Amino acid sequence: MKVAIGCDHGGINLKDALLAHLKEKGVEYEDFGTYTKDSVDYNDYAEAACKAVVNGECDLGILVCGTGIGMSIVANKIKGIRCGHCHDVFSAKMTRLHNDANVLSFGERVIGAGLMTEIVDAFLFTDFSGGERHIRRVDKIKALEERNFK
Ligand code: RB5
């Protein structure tokens, strides 16, 4: 498994904790920045990481900004991305089980590193349930993208 990582200046401390956690777990990742605390636009880093998921270079993505909200809004504008914005373990697990989410977002100004690692593990190590009704709903999301995204 390879995970695409993106953050802005508002998420860089929590991203550092995330990278340390992934290293400890032996999970491969690519860090698409940002790499300093200089103010940047979250849009650019969400897009770079999500593109790596869409083109198959990475299997899943994790985005961190101040709240995780800006990153999730951008991510969900990208065709093929289903981003779950999660600050609890239950939601992180359910967004894989029911939504087949391929990107997770959260905010450094919202949660601490301890909870973040549990959320990340729930997201990375839970598979899509594949149940008939969930497949139908994910397929409807894909059909909606076809109708609305150029
Ligand atoms: C940056 O100040 C902040 O707006 C950003 O990190 C994020 O919270 C946006 O949703």
Side-chain angles (χ1 to χ4, degrees), residues 5 15 24 37-38 53 71 73 78 80 118:
I5 308 293
K15 183 189 75 172
E24 192 182 306
K37 291 186 180 174
D38 295 343
V53 175
M71 288 281 196
I73 291 171
I78 296 170
E118 292 190 20

Side-chain angles (χ1 to χ4, degrees), residues 3-43:
V3 183
I5 308 293
C7 77
D8 73 356
H9 56 286
I12 198 157
N13 295 311
L14 196 58
K15 183 189 75 172
D16 286 345
L18 167 64
L19 299 187
H21 178 66
L22 295 179
K23 267 184 206 151
E24 192 182 306
K25 287 269 169 180
V27 176
E28 195 184 352
Y29 63 80
E30 182 161 352
D31 180 2
F32 289 87
T34 189
Y35 308 109
T36 74
K37 291 186 180 174
D38 295 343
S39 183
V40 293
D41 299 332
Y42 55 78
N43 316 62

Side-chain angles (χ1 to χ4, degrees), residues 55-132:
N55 71 23
E57 188 189 329
C58 292
D59 304 291
L60 295 169
I62 302 179
L63 305 173
V64 198
C65 62
T67 60
I69 297 171
M71 288 281 196
S72 70
I73 291 171
V74 171
N76 281 312
K77 299 285 183 198
I78 296 170
K79 192 173 175 179
I81 294 297
R82 291 177 299 283
C83 176
H85 176 234
C86 304
H87 288 120
D88 67 275
V89 175
F90 178 76
S91 299
K93 185 174 179 180
M94 295 308 290
T95 203
R96 290 287 303 128
L97 278 175
H98 284 191
N99 314 126
D100 198 15
N102 49 13
V103 172
L104 170 70
S105 75
F106 46 74
E108 176 180 320
R109 297 170 189 162
V110 184
I111 54 169
L115 177 56
M116 177 275 291
T117 59
E118 292 190 20
I119 290 168
V120 165
D121 288 351
F123 180 76
L124 293 182
F125 303 119
T126 301
D127 291 325
F128 180 44
S129 69
E132 185 270 334

